[in-house]
């Protein structure tokens, strides 16, 4: 019942943010449904009415430049040309006749240029991965390599990605992290919620529009599968809030284990011999297991005086990093998919699932009066305190890569050790100022009974049952989805299983939804125990102070407030920021603290909210929000031929899964546990 109550307070205010079109015709805005789904203009000049073609710098570095990536647009009016130059990256396209622009302040949620369709093929198979000098025999990779291929597109393109599952005993679904999926929830790639798993030997095609730009990653949402290697980088080229000359290829930072996450998971539930611990840190799939310091390091070459765009992506299972380059500052220009006013810093904290674009100015700065004379510098990724778990005696080396000015120089960099504060946190709230500003209408917070509290409960009746608090909850129940019954197929249900942890929002089109997530220490003894330590508390619920990176699908959210003391909210001591608050798709719920998130109900769908620590998501830390259920039913049953075809595929994927599962459930389960031994997401 509580959730019917809760949904009332999930509704909120009216004042919508109607943006007036900056364009003289409305041709590229608010397209009808078919625009989001259809193949769009094909990649042939012959079809183009008023084509614009230009190159965007891509990577990997100065000595080894990749072919630039060509953006292709087909306008239906004359006068458009590209305007992104090294001295003005804020501009993307402009019309020389009308002076209209697609640029860094454009409301990209509503307006984007007319791109083309880009097609990719991802073939998932098993492979032993040697990423750090030690074999992981349980690796699962796209197209034979880890990380998977770099998916690239330009702002306004449509992506069409064919996924083939060649695994023996796992289904798969692929999620495009941070992509808004406007009117395409069925392409969000979450089994049990937006689709059934793709069965072994079967394939499916994901089609969606890249309305945002920046960097991100794609990863499996099938249980713990991404921890075994099922992840890759994704870049959507667009404007930048600060200038740069060249771009480096994406930097994927991840933690890594020497065996399958499916095997490590039992440790999360039993705590024996300890909660799961990782073995090393990898950059773009390469690392050095403790001691083996002589393996090839990630290396990039730069030229003095140039400015480089670097795309940093944290694809960890369990680790947040502090990223820095010795003797250099970084100018931060985006957080997740949101361009921000540039700010300069000497290190940034990157939480799981978070991404930053930063600009590296190739001019070393003396630190304590010292600069490397050989022109080589460590690129560091230091696991943050309170957001990491590595095997004892096995702390990864933080010197994860080398930036070199001099091609001939091969020596190991010599340098000072940075003295960053290693506490796990997000980048400072006050620094994340989006370029396209949101003014969130003033709203009341829901009553405190409707806060979503993160805590732990026991796991009666579940696999690996034992008498301890090991299952997380976010909305009063630990999530446990049914692979074969995606929520979007059951929208007419009168009731929901508790295990599905569904919250129905009553918000109408363009009203706002507010979500308050807290980690109250109500039942905690004082002083607070360290994360991972046993706690004596209220018997049926346990609140333990740990930081959680909270991720919302289907929207960027405005972060109205973020704090480290949950009692401040109840005492009314929290100032909410309505005028252009930070905006992103993952925010760190501080240990014992709170998050106040708000987003506009402009995207009908079933959107999951979950912790991006893989172990926590697997043990239930998630909920589903149904946004505008009636509009969603209308959308999914649309007679638009593209939607009809896509929903036919959707049903076929479920049919294939059911058939495979019937035949293989027994063979693929690991006794004494059933086939599914975690939440499934
Ligand atoms: C939370 O879940 C527990 C256990 O299932 C149930 O007894 C309780 O009524 C629920 N509380 C609310 C507020 O829904
Ligand atoms: C447009 O792109 C072309 C080809 O990449 C480049 O030569 C030209 O300078 C660009 N024009 C502008 C205005 O940036
Ligand atoms: C972006 O373009 C609009 C016109 O479409 C213009 O008003 C605005 O000033 C431009 N912003 C920047 C940062 O150039
Ligand atoms: C997935 O595959 C792994 C082996 O790589 C196996 O241990 C696990 O049980 C499988 N799980 C499911 C749910 O398919
Ligand atoms: C790396 O170091 C280890 C241990 O110090 C040594 O056994 C190994 O031969 C070295 N490998 C290379 C390629 O130098
Ligand atoms: C990734 O995020 C996790 C959790 O927030 C954090 O512990 C880890 O240090 C991050 N890794 C990097 C390389 O930023
Ligand atoms: C580099 O960043 C640090 C920390 O933000 C700042 O104190 C320092 O002034 C910066 N130096 C330069 C040259 O920008
Ligand atoms: C490090 O940062 C945390 C949180 O931002 C703060 O509470 C702590 O006092 C800082 N520690 C030091 C030694 O400055
Ligand atoms: C919806 O109802 C069906 C049939 O009763 C049930 O199998 C399914 O689990 C329900 N779905 C959810 C998400 O509760
Ligand atoms: Cu968590």
């Amino acid at each position: 019942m509580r959730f019917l109550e809760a949904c009332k307070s999930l509704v909120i205010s009216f004042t919508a943010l109607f943006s007036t079109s900056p364009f003289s015709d409305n041709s590229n805005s608010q397209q009808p449904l078919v625009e989001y789904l259809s193949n769009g203009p094909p990649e042939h000049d012959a079809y183009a009415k008023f084509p614009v073609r230009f190159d965007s710098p891509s990577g990997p570095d100065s000595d080894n430049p990749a072919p630039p990536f060509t953006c292709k647009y087909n306008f239906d009016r004359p006068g458009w040309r590209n305007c992104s130059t090294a001295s003005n990256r804020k501009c993307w396209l402009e019309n020389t006749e009308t002076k209209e622009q697609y640029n860094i302040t454009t409301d990209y949620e509503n307006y984007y240029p007319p791109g083309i369709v880009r097609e990719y093929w991802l073939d998932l198979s098993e492979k032993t991965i040697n990423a750090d000098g030690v074999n992981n025999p349980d690796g699962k990779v796209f197209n034979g390599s880890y990380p998977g291929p770099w998916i690239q597109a330009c702002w306004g393109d449509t992506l069409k990605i064919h996924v083939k599952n060649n695994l023996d005993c796992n289904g798969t679904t692929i999620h495009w992290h941070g992509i808004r999926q406007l009117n395409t929830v069925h392409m969000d790639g979450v089994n049990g919620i937006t689709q059934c798993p793709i069965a072994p030997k079967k394939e499916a095609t994901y089609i969606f529009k890249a309305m945002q730009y920046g960097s991100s990653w794609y990863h499996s949402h099938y249980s713990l599968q991404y921890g075994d290697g099922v992840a890759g980088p994704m870049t959507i080229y667009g404007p930048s809030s600060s200038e740069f000359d060249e771009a480096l290829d994406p930097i994927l930072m991840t933690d890594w284990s020497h065996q399958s996450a499916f095997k490590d998971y039992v440790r999360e539930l039993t705590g024996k011999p300890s909660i799961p611990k990782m073995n090393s840190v990898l950059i773009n799939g390469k690392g050095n297991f403790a001691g083996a310091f002589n393996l090839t390091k990630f290396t990039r070459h730069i030229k003095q005086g140039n400015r480089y765009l670097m795309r940093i992506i944290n694809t960890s299972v369990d680790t947040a990093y502090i990223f820095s380059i010795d003797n250099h500052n970084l100018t931060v220009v985006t957080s997740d998919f949101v361009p921000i006013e540039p700010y300069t810093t000497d290190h940034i904290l990157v939480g799981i699932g978070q991404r930053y674009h930063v600009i590296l100015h190739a001019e070393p700065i003396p630190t304590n009066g010292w600069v490397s004379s050989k022109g080589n510098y460590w690129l560091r990724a230091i696991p943050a305190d309170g957001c990491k778990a590595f095997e004892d005696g096995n702390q990864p080396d933080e010197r994860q890569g080398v930036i070199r000015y001099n091609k001939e120089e091969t020596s190991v960099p010599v340098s000072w050790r940075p003295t960053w504060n290693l506490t796990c946190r997000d980048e400072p709230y006050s620094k994340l100022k989006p370029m396209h500003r949101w003014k969130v209408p003033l709203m009341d917070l829901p009553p405190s009974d409707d806060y979503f509290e993160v805590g732990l409960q026991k796991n009666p009746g579940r696999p690996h049952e034992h008498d301890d608090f090991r299952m997380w909850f976010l909305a009063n129940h630990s999530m446990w989805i049914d692979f074969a019954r995606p929520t979007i197929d059951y929208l007419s249900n009168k009731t929901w299983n508790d295990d599905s942890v569904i919250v129905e929002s009553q918000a109408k089109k363009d009203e706002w939804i507010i979500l308050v997530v807290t980690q109250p220490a109500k039942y905690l003894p004082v002083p607070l125990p360290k994360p991972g330590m046993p706690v004596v508390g209220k018997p049926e619920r346990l609140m333990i102070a740990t930081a959680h990176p909270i991720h919302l699908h289907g929207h960027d959210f405005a972060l109205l407030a973020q704090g480290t003391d949950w009692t401040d909210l109840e005492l009314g001591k929290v100032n909410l920021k309505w005028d252009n608050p930070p905006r992103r798709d993952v925010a760190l719920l501080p240990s014992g603290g709170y998050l106040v998130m708000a987003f506009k109900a402009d995207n009908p769908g079933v959107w999951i909210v979950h912790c991006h620590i893989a172990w926590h998501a697997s043990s239930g830390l998630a909920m589903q929000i149904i946004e505008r259920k009636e509009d969603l039913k209308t959308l999914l049953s649309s007679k638009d031929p593209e939607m009809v075809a896509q929903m036919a595929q959707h049903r076929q994927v479920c049919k294939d899964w059911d058939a495979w599962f019937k035949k293989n459930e027994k063979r693929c389960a690991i006794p004494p546990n059933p086939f599914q031994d975690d939440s499934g997401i």
Side-chain angles (χ1 to χ4, degrees), residues 445 514-517 558-562 569 576 594-598:
L445 283 191
I514 284 201
L515 214 56
V516 180
V517 180
L559 191 54
L560 302 182
Q562 177 180 37
L569 267 182
L576 301 173
Y594 59 87
L595 292 174
V596 182
M597 302 146 77

Side-chain angles (χ1 to χ4, degrees), residues 7-56:
C7 27
K8 286 202 193 102
S9 39
L10 265 180
V11 178
I12 300 297
S13 154
F14 287 73
T15 356
L17 271 183
F18 291 113
S19 58
T20 42
S21 169
F23 300 101
S24 53
D25 66 353
N26 260 350
S27 58
N28 305 316
S29 62
Q30 308 284 18
Q31 277 91 342
L33 172 63
V34 60
E35 235 295 311
Y36 301 120
L37 301 169
S38 76
N39 291 337
E43 193 180 336
H44 301 298
D45 288 337
Y47 291 85
K49 236 171 152 181
F50 297 101
V52 179
R53 306 278 180 269
F54 66 107
D55 293 341
S56 195

Side-chain angles (χ1 to χ4, degrees), residues 328-329 344-346 365 431:
H328 289 81
N329 277 0
T344 297
T345 178
D346 43 20
I365 307 168
K431 292 203 169 163

Side-chain angles (χ1 to χ4, degrees), residues 376-395:
N376 48 19
Y377 300 89
W378 288 122
L379 178 156
R380 294 177 198 263
I382 312 179
D385 286 346
C387 284
K388 63 172 180 187
F390 289 93
E391 293 290 2
D392 296 340
N394 203 327
Q395 293 305 308

Side-chain angles (χ1 to χ4, degrees), residues 194-210:
T194 68
Q195 67 169 103
C196 294
I198 303 168
K201 305 287 170 274
K202 299 291 177 185
E203 59 181 283
T205 300
Y206 291 87
I207 303 178
F208 54 89
K209 193 106 196 160

